[in-house]
Amino acid sequence: FGSTFTGNQVTNATTIFNGGGAIDNAGSNSQLSVVNSAFTGNSARNGGAINNFNASDANITNSTFTNNSATDGGAIHNAGSGATINLFSGTLSGNTATSDGGAISNGGTSNTGIANIYNSTISNNTANSDGGGISTLGLITIENSVVDNNDATSSGGGIFVGSGSNQTVTITNVEISNNFAGTRGGGLFY
């Protein structure tokens, strides 16, 4: 609650189990609560700021993620069977991924993960592959949010939805604008 995480790094993570420049929430059935906090300039292989993995829950409310970087999930990486993130009133801006999910990577190579995003702004993020703002291979719900001015070198400038199994994608009352993709789906690729 009311915490600041700045310039933290994980430098030798070798698998999707490892990461979280600021927080690695990877214990089975772990419960993480983040409220009124700021994550700036953190970096890791997965989840520059937060890595949520392995049936863990991360509830994030009224927090900012700025200029974080990772291979997948510049700000947040969520993967593993039952891994769930609930993001309420978040601002994710200026985050970068050298692969997928400039701000958020949901699902990862395991095609699992549940992301619920409400009343949030995801803007000015960059991915060198897919999903400038968000990349998902898992289940995702986005409501009452803005996905704006994100950039992906390949597909899904704003949002990239991969071909995972048993996917459900729900997007309600979301402004998707001014995003750019190099090959497919400037706003949304599904």
PDB file of all heavy atoms in Angstrom, residues 115-136:
ATOM      1  N   ALA A 115      -6.567 -12.392 -17.149  1.00  0.00           N
ATOM      2  CA  ALA A 115      -6.346 -10.967 -16.894  1.00  0.00           C
ATOM      3  C   ALA A 115      -7.678 -10.230 -16.948  1.00  0.00           C
ATOM      4  O   ALA A 115      -8.441 -10.363 -17.907  1.00  0.00           O
ATOM      5  CB  ALA A 115      -5.384 -10.377 -17.915  1.00  0.00           C
ATOM      6  N   ASN A 116      -7.963  -9.459 -15.893  1.00  0.00           N
ATOM      7  CA  ASN A 116      -9.158  -8.626 -15.814  1.00  0.00           C
ATOM      8  C   ASN A 116      -8.703  -7.190 -15.623  1.00  0.00           C
ATOM      9  O   ASN A 116      -8.040  -6.871 -14.630  1.00  0.00           O
ATOM     10  CB  ASN A 116     -10.042  -9.070 -14.644  1.00  0.00           C
ATOM     11  CG  ASN A 116     -10.473 -10.515 -14.789  1.00  0.00           C
ATOM     12  OD1 ASN A 116     -11.088 -10.891 -15.766  1.00  0.00           O
ATOM     13  ND2 ASN A 116     -10.127 -11.335 -13.812  1.00  0.00           N
ATOM     14  N   ILE A 117      -9.041  -6.332 -16.586  1.00  0.00           N
ATOM     15  CA  ILE A 117      -8.552  -4.958 -16.591  1.00  0.00           C
ATOM     16  C   ILE A 117      -9.752  -4.025 -16.608  1.00  0.00           C
ATOM     17  O   ILE A 117     -10.584  -4.077 -17.532  1.00  0.00           O
ATOM     18  CB  ILE A 117      -7.653  -4.712 -17.825  1.00  0.00           C
ATOM     19  CG1 ILE A 117      -6.464  -5.681 -17.805  1.00  0.00           C
ATOM     20  CG2 ILE A 117      -7.190  -3.260 -17.877  1.00  0.00           C
ATOM     21  CD1 ILE A 117      -5.691  -5.742 -19.109  1.00  0.00           C
ATOM     22  N   TYR A 118      -9.843  -3.148 -15.594  1.00  0.00           N
ATOM     23  CA  TYR A 118     -10.987  -2.257 -15.457  1.00  0.00           C
ATOM     24  C   TYR A 118     -10.537  -0.812 -15.233  1.00  0.00           C
ATOM     25  O   TYR A 118      -9.610  -0.565 -14.452  1.00  0.00           O
ATOM     26  CB  TYR A 118     -11.858  -2.678 -14.256  1.00  0.00           C
ATOM     27  CG  TYR A 118     -12.301  -4.111 -14.287  1.00  0.00           C
ATOM     28  CD1 TYR A 118     -11.669  -5.074 -13.493  1.00  0.00           C
ATOM     29  CD2 TYR A 118     -13.340  -4.523 -15.116  1.00  0.00           C
ATOM     30  CE1 TYR A 118     -12.070  -6.399 -13.531  1.00  0.00           C
ATOM     31  CE2 TYR A 118     -13.744  -5.858 -15.148  1.00  0.00           C
ATOM     32  CZ  TYR A 118     -13.111  -6.784 -14.350  1.00  0.00           C
ATOM     33  OH  TYR A 118     -13.494  -8.106 -14.377  1.00  0.00           O
ATOM     34  N   ASN A 119     -11.190   0.131 -15.902  1.00  0.00           N
ATOM     35  CA  ASN A 119     -10.976   1.568 -15.669  1.00  0.00           C
ATOM     36  C   ASN A 119      -9.494   1.937 -15.700  1.00  0.00           C
ATOM     37  O   ASN A 119      -9.016   2.688 -14.860  1.00  0.00           O
ATOM     38  CB  ASN A 119     -11.594   1.981 -14.330  1.00  0.00           C
ATOM     39  CG  ASN A 119     -13.068   1.655 -14.264  1.00  0.00           C
ATOM     40  OD1 ASN A 119     -13.843   2.041 -15.132  1.00  0.00           O
ATOM     41  ND2 ASN A 119     -13.450   0.909 -13.251  1.00  0.00           N
ATOM     42  N   SER A 120      -8.776   1.418 -16.678  1.00  0.00           N
ATOM     43  CA  SER A 120      -7.329   1.626 -16.749  1.00  0.00           C
ATOM     44  C   SER A 120      -6.928   2.268 -18.071  1.00  0.00           C
ATOM     45  O   SER A 120      -7.660   2.211 -19.058  1.00  0.00           O
ATOM     46  CB  SER A 120      -6.597   0.292 -16.558  1.00  0.00           C
ATOM     47  OG  SER A 120      -6.819  -0.214 -15.258  1.00  0.00           O
ATOM     48  N   THR A 121      -5.733   2.862 -18.074  1.00  0.00           N
ATOM     49  CA  THR A 121      -5.175   3.475 -19.275  1.00  0.00           C
ATOM     50  C   THR A 121      -3.856   2.793 -19.608  1.00  0.00           C
ATOM     51  O   THR A 121      -2.951   2.727 -18.772  1.00  0.00           O
ATOM     52  CB  THR A 121      -4.937   4.988 -19.067  1.00  0.00           C
ATOM     53  OG1 THR A 121      -6.195   5.613 -18.782  1.00  0.00           O
ATOM     54  CG2 THR A 121      -4.319   5.613 -20.308  1.00  0.00           C
ATOM     55  N   ILE A 122      -3.773   2.289 -20.836  1.00  0.00           N
ATOM     56  CA  ILE A 122      -2.575   1.617 -21.322  1.00  0.00           C
ATOM     57  C   ILE A 122      -2.123   2.383 -22.554  1.00  0.00           C
ATOM     58  O   ILE A 122      -2.746   2.298 -23.622  1.00  0.00           O
ATOM     59  CB  ILE A 122      -2.882   0.135 -21.634  1.00  0.00           C
ATOM     60  CG1 ILE A 122      -3.307  -0.563 -20.327  1.00  0.00           C
ATOM     61  CG2 ILE A 122      -1.681  -0.550 -22.256  1.00  0.00           C
ATOM     62  CD1 ILE A 122      -3.892  -1.921 -20.508  1.00  0.00           C
ATOM     63  N   SER A 123      -1.059   3.195 -22.400  1.00  0.00           N
ATOM     64  CA  SER A 123      -0.679   4.105 -23.474  1.00  0.00           C
ATOM     65  C   SER A 123       0.832   4.236 -23.618  1.00  0.00           C
ATOM     66  O   SER A 123       1.582   4.074 -22.654  1.00  0.00           O
ATOM     67  CB  SER A 123      -1.279   5.496 -23.228  1.00  0.00           C
ATOM     68  OG  SER A 123      -0.748   6.058 -22.049  1.00  0.00           O
ATOM     69  N   ASN A 124       1.252   4.499 -24.864  1.00  0.00           N
ATOM     70  CA  ASN A 124       2.665   4.778 -25.171  1.00  0.00           C
ATOM     71  C   ASN A 124       3.612   3.658 -24.772  1.00  0.00           C
ATOM     72  O   ASN A 124       4.730   3.901 -24.324  1.00  0.00           O
ATOM     73  CB  ASN A 124       3.092   6.102 -24.524  1.00  0.00           C
ATOM     74  CG  ASN A 124       2.260   7.260 -25.023  1.00  0.00           C
ATOM     75  OD1 ASN A 124       2.244   7.547 -26.209  1.00  0.00           O
ATOM     76  ND2 ASN A 124       1.540   7.903 -24.116  1.00  0.00           N
ATOM     77  N   ASN A 125       3.167   2.420 -24.939  1.00  0.00           N
ATOM     78  CA  ASN A 125       4.007   1.252 -24.671  1.00  0.00           C
ATOM     79  C   ASN A 125       4.469   0.655 -26.002  1.00  0.00           C
ATOM     80  O   ASN A 125       3.847   0.869 -27.038  1.00  0.00           O
ATOM     81  CB  ASN A 125       3.220   0.218 -23.866  1.00  0.00           C
ATOM     82  CG  ASN A 125       2.722   0.785 -22.563  1.00  0.00           C
ATOM     83  OD1 ASN A 125       3.486   0.983 -21.630  1.00  0.00           O
ATOM     84  ND2 ASN A 125       1.423   1.076 -22.490  1.00  0.00           N
ATOM     85  N   THR A 126       5.560  -0.124 -25.961  1.00  0.00           N
ATOM     86  CA  THR A 126       6.151  -0.648 -27.190  1.00  0.00           C
ATOM     87  C   THR A 126       6.545  -2.112 -27.026  1.00  0.00           C
ATOM     88  O   THR A 126       7.114  -2.490 -26.004  1.00  0.00           O
ATOM     89  CB  THR A 126       7.418   0.157 -27.552  1.00  0.00           C
ATOM     90  OG1 THR A 126       7.073   1.541 -27.664  1.00  0.00           O
ATOM     91  CG2 THR A 126       8.019  -0.321 -28.854  1.00  0.00           C
ATOM     92  N   ALA A 127       6.255  -2.909 -28.079  1.00  0.00           N
ATOM     93  CA  ALA A 127       6.724  -4.298 -28.129  1.00  0.00           C
ATOM     94  C   ALA A 127       7.466  -4.514 -29.440  1.00  0.00           C
ATOM     95  O   ALA A 127       6.998  -4.086 -30.498  1.00  0.00           O
ATOM     96  CB  ALA A 127       5.556  -5.269 -28.030  1.00  0.00           C
ATOM     97  N   ASN A 128       8.602  -5.186 -29.368  1.00  0.00           N
ATOM     98  CA  ASN A 128       9.378  -5.454 -30.577  1.00  0.00           C
ATOM     99  C   ASN A 128       8.839  -6.645 -31.358  1.00  0.00           C
ATOM    100  O   ASN A 128       9.390  -6.996 -32.393  1.00  0.00           O
ATOM    101  CB  ASN A 128      10.852  -5.682 -30.236  1.00  0.00           C
ATOM    102  CG  ASN A 128      11.542  -4.393 -29.868  1.00  0.00           C
ATOM    103  OD1 ASN A 128      11.048  -3.306 -30.162  1.00  0.00           O
ATOM    104  ND2 ASN A 128      12.685  -4.497 -29.219  1.00  0.00           N
ATOM    105  N   SER A 129       7.770  -7.263 -30.873  1.00  0.00           N
ATOM    106  CA  SER A 129       7.094  -8.317 -31.625  1.00  0.00           C
ATOM    107  C   SER A 129       5.597  -8.020 -31.620  1.00  0.00           C
ATOM    108  O   SER A 129       5.155  -7.138 -32.342  1.00  0.00           O
ATOM    109  CB  SER A 129       7.407  -9.699 -31.039  1.00  0.00           C
ATOM    110  OG  SER A 129       6.877 -10.715 -31.869  1.00  0.00           O
ATOM    111  N   ASP A 130       4.810  -8.692 -30.777  1.00  0.00           N
ATOM    112  CA  ASP A 130       3.350  -8.546 -30.794  1.00  0.00           C
ATOM    113  C   ASP A 130       2.815  -7.865 -29.531  1.00  0.00           C
ATOM    114  O   ASP A 130       3.343  -8.046 -28.445  1.00  0.00           O
ATOM    115  CB  ASP A 130       2.702  -9.930 -30.909  1.00  0.00           C
ATOM    116  CG  ASP A 130       3.074 -10.640 -32.201  1.00  0.00           C
ATOM    117  OD1 ASP A 130       3.143  -9.979 -33.243  1.00  0.00           O
ATOM    118  OD2 ASP A 130       3.299 -11.867 -32.145  1.00  0.00           O
ATOM    119  N   GLY A 131       1.711  -7.122 -29.715  1.00  0.00           N
ATOM    120  CA  GLY A 131       1.021  -6.522 -28.578  1.00  0.00           C
ATOM    121  C   GLY A 131       1.741  -5.334 -27.980  1.00  0.00           C
ATOM    122  O   GLY A 131       2.304  -5.436 -26.902  1.00  0.00           O
ATOM    123  N   GLY A 132       1.688  -4.201 -28.666  1.00  0.00           N
ATOM    124  CA  GLY A 132       2.334  -3.000 -28.141  1.00  0.00           C
ATOM    125  C   GLY A 132       1.832  -2.625 -26.764  1.00  0.00           C
ATOM    126  O   GLY A 132       2.606  -2.252 -25.891  1.00  0.00           O
ATOM    127  N   GLY A 133       0.522  -2.747 -26.558  1.00  0.00           N
ATOM    128  CA  GLY A 133      -0.066  -2.499 -25.248  1.00  0.00           C
ATOM    129  C   GLY A 133      -0.220  -3.785 -24.460  1.00  0.00           C
ATOM    130  O   GLY A 133       0.310  -3.938 -23.369  1.00  0.00           O
ATOM    131  N   ILE A 134      -0.965  -4.737 -25.060  1.00  0.00           N
ATOM    132  CA  ILE A 134      -1.285  -5.998 -24.390  1.00  0.00           C
ATOM    133  C   ILE A 134      -1.101  -7.159 -25.368  1.00  0.00           C
ATOM    134  O   ILE A 134      -1.559  -7.089 -26.510  1.00  0.00           O
ATOM    135  CB  ILE A 134      -2.751  -6.008 -23.902  1.00  0.00           C
ATOM    136  CG1 ILE A 134      -3.010  -4.878 -22.909  1.00  0.00           C
ATOM    137  CG2 ILE A 134      -3.118  -7.355 -23.286  1.00  0.00           C
ATOM    138  CD1 ILE A 134      -4.486  -4.643 -22.626  1.00  0.00           C
ATOM    139  N   SER A 135      -0.473  -8.219 -24.902  1.00  0.00           N
ATOM    140  CA  SER A 135      -0.407  -9.474 -25.637  1.00  0.00           C
ATOM    141  C   SER A 135      -1.062 -10.539 -24.775  1.00  0.00           C
ATOM    142  O   SER A 135      -0.717 -10.689 -23.604  1.00  0.00           O
ATOM    143  CB  SER A 135       1.049  -9.861 -25.933  1.00  0.00           C
ATOM    144  OG  SER A 135       1.106 -11.145 -26.516  1.00  0.00           O
ATOM    145  N   THR A 136      -2.028 -11.280 -25.349  1.00  0.00           N
ATOM    146  CA  THR A 136      -2.691 -12.312 -24.558  1.00  0.00           C
ATOM    147  C   THR A 136      -2.845 -13.617 -25.332  1.00  0.00           C
ATOM    148  O   THR A 136      -3.189 -13.622 -26.508  1.00  0.00           O
ATOM    149  CB  THR A 136      -4.070 -11.851 -24.035  1.00  0.00           C
ATOM    150  OG1 THR A 136      -4.623 -12.872 -23.189  1.00  0.00           O
ATOM    151  CG2 THR A 136      -5.038 -11.543 -25.161  1.00  0.00           C
TER     152      THR A 136
END
